[in-house]
Amino acid sequence: MLTDDELFAEISSRRAKGESFNQPLGELVERWRAPSATVVRRVQGAFMRGSPDDAGEVFQDAVGKFLSRGLDQFRGVSEQVPGKAASPKTFFLRIVKHCAIDRYRRQREDLAQGPRDGEDESAEPAHEVARSISASEAKASASEAHEEYWVAFRRLQDEHPNEAGAWDLYHHQDMDDHNEVARILGITVVNSYKRVSRAQAYLKLYLLEVRSQEEQHEPE
Amino acid sequence: MNPNDNAAARYTSRIDELSSLKGELESPKRPGDPAPVIGRVLEAAGDLLRRTQAIPFDLAVLQSTLALVPGGGLKSWGEAVSVDDLKSRLKRAADEAVEAALPDTSDDGSTWTGWAMQGLFARDRMESALCAVQHLAQQGRKDAAEIHARLSAAVQKIDKALAHRAAWLTPLNAGRRAEAGMLDPEARSKAWWFTARSETSDDGLVAALGGEGERAFSGAEAEAHRDVTQERRRPVSYDELFRYDLGLASPAERASIAAASKSNPEFARAMAALAEGERAIEELSDPAPPENVIPIDRGVPTRIEPGRGELVAERTEFKVLLFRRKERVQLVVQPQRKDRFSTAAVYLADAPEVARPSTSTAEGLEFDLGPASRVQGQQARVVVRLQGGTEVATLVRL
């Protein structure tokens, strides 16, 4: 029987040649199903959430991520941080760990948010319908602006990571103090102030750009 | 010298330049591809043709010079023009203009302004070259008509894609107004890079968007201001947490994660689960322990790496190191994500459009900037092109 490393090498080789590698990949991850369940249980214990039935779904989720991104990531991590990717199994179990954490984090966020729009279907008096429609439109518009903002922030992270990092600390992590931002990032206070200013300017320019393009494409 | 005098002097000098280029066309001395000379002829001629009111010149001399442009040279020039490069340069100029409005120091502000204007000049020179080619086409040159149709269509696409970035260019308005003032009315109406949003009322727009200066927002700007400054929290994403766990997070990502752990009990619980999951993985892993784990410190933006130069900039995709060796100064751009890194160039302020020579070494792409005594105190601009065409410009004080 091939070892994990040999089987992984076979997968990499077939993948590089553009050949199908589903069979060896299936065999390899199946070997890791039991340890995956152990990792999920330990994460559940720390989170105080979840049920034994979750292990199967988390495992499937992890296989999907390993297939779509993990095979390349493993190679990259092996090159950049050798010890962190000691074996494909360890790397896969780390994906499992993160899939489980992501699942329970999202569950907590859902609970914290309460019922979403449309989930509370109790009957409304007729005279409140108009007000509800107006409120619903305002909510949709706010939600669109919210999404546009995060798209703009991701663009800032990609194009100006220094500015995005300072803005993230200052604005999203409630730091609101340039001395603290400067200390954490190892920059001067003036530099922190300027990075935050540039971040603000870029974000607003991105939003203006997107909205002006949308206006151009709107049918008359 | 004010911007108006400066612009007038620059375009007046085109008359002498064209005269000397005419000599070059009459008896070519330079071996090899004539495209660079043809490019200079077209740009100089077009600069004058678009500024007839501000710069008087002898049209007959200009036409006789253009008539000397050989078909082969024109074709070669047309093939060498990279419209994609022009697009990248304009995008970069827009970014540089924002840096000019909100610089780290006032010195940096004027440097960024200079770099950004170079980008607008690049777009304007292309317009001038196209104007000269069109002039040739109007004289009956079919080859010129074909090249003009192809290139002007490509350039119009760039304009359509980037004209809405005029707001970004407003910090350059003083220089832009001076340039616009030199153009004939017809040329001015097309030159959005100099004219769009160039009114004095827009001069402080970008600084105000950055929260500096006095300006009351209205309409779309007010909405953008409200949406950006509205209080928001950002949950750490799956990918960020994964990179953090692998030791690959950027300093800013690490700082965000540390801040979120302190301020958000829910996230602190996720971090505890991360540690517990890691203990489980260690217990389940094969006995061979990873002995070679060396923590990677990417946290300090400027530091000396022993024997390896001064780290002056770092992104996920690359880092920039400054070396002072044997009285010479060198910059090394070191790719960190080879799949995202494409190429790099370094420019000095005294030759803003001429890339410094580079060689590929074990340490990365090395740029020799010259003797320390000559470049000390200057600023170098490092431009890195990433896969997909994005360009990142960094200013390095030498």
Side-chain angles (χ1 to χ4, degrees), chain A residues 42 94 97 108 158 168, chain B residues 256 266 276 278 315:
Chain A
R42 297 278 285 269
R94 260 192 202 101
K97 177 178 72 171
R108 287 200 170 253
D158 189 43
D168 194 38
Chain B
S256 281
E266 278 305 319
E276 182 57 24
E278 191 61 24
R315 277 180 60 119

Side-chain angles (χ1 to χ4, degrees), chain B residues 22-267:
Chain B
K22 186 180 183 189
E24 176 78 19
L25 289 175
E26 282 167 340
S27 50
K29 299 179 190 94
R30 189 190 293 236
D33 186 2
V37 172
I38 303 304
R40 286 174 57 203
V41 170
L42 296 173
E43 287 173 8
D47 274 354
L48 294 170
L49 286 168
R50 295 169 62 234
R51 293 170 179 85
T52 56
Q53 293 175 9
I55 314 287
F57 64 94
D58 186 340
L59 183 62
V61 172
L62 183 144
Q63 284 177 325
S64 65
T65 308
L66 278 181
L68 293 169
V69 170
L74 185 63
K75 183 168 180 270
S76 176
W77 171 81
E79 285 166 355
V81 168
S82 170
V83 177
D84 286 342
D85 282 353
L86 182 63
K87 187 176 183 181
S88 298
R89 185 66 192 87
L90 265 180
K91 278 184 175 175
R92 206 169 72 225
D95 277 353
E96 289 164 345
V98 175
E99 300 272 354
L102 299 161
D104 287 341
T105 68
S106 53
D107 279 358
D108 288 354
S110 53
T111 307
W112 282 117
T113 299
W115 296 123
M117 283 303 289
Q118 292 297 329
L120 303 192
F121 291 145
R123 172 64 190 88
D124 197 67
R125 285 197 303 273
M126 172 58 79
E127 192 67 14
S128 289
L130 285 173
C131 172
V133 175
Q134 188 180 30
H135 194 83
L136 277 176
Q138 285 162 351
Q139 309 294 312
R141 289 272 296 262
K142 282 188 182 165
D143 56 345
E146 184 275 321
I147 289 170
H148 181 263
R150 178 171 58 81
L151 285 179
S152 56
V155 169
Q156 270 170 25
K157 272 190 193 166
I158 295 181
D159 287 345
K160 198 172 173 200
L162 295 182
H164 54 75
R165 289 210 184 174
W168 302 48
L169 304 177
T170 51
L172 314 173
N173 274 355
R176 295 172 76 218
R177 279 192 293 270
E179 289 294 331
M182 302 293 298
L183 289 165
D184 292 346
E186 194 192 343
R188 196 180 307 143
S189 67
K190 293 179 191 166
W192 66 267
W193 50 96
F194 287 149
T195 59
R197 302 204 66 166
S198 65
E199 300 79 14
T200 48
S201 56
D202 273 330
D203 286 3
L205 173 64
V206 171
L209 291 175
E212 297 183 9
E214 298 291 323
R215 185 185 168 101
F217 294 119
S218 62
E221 285 161 16
E223 271 180 39
H225 176 73
R226 189 194 57 222
D227 291 340
V228 169
T229 51
Q230 183 186 328
E231 199 176 303
R232 296 174 200 271
R233 293 192 72 85
R234 187 179 70 86
V236 176
S237 71
Y238 170 94
D239 285 323
E240 278 172 296
L241 203 54
F242 195 56
R243 281 198 298 276
Y244 173 82
D245 195 21
L246 294 173
L248 297 173
S250 67
E253 283 173 333
R254 283 208 309 267
S256 281
I257 287 169
S261 305
K262 265 193 204 166
S263 64
N264 180 350
E266 278 305 319
F267 187 69

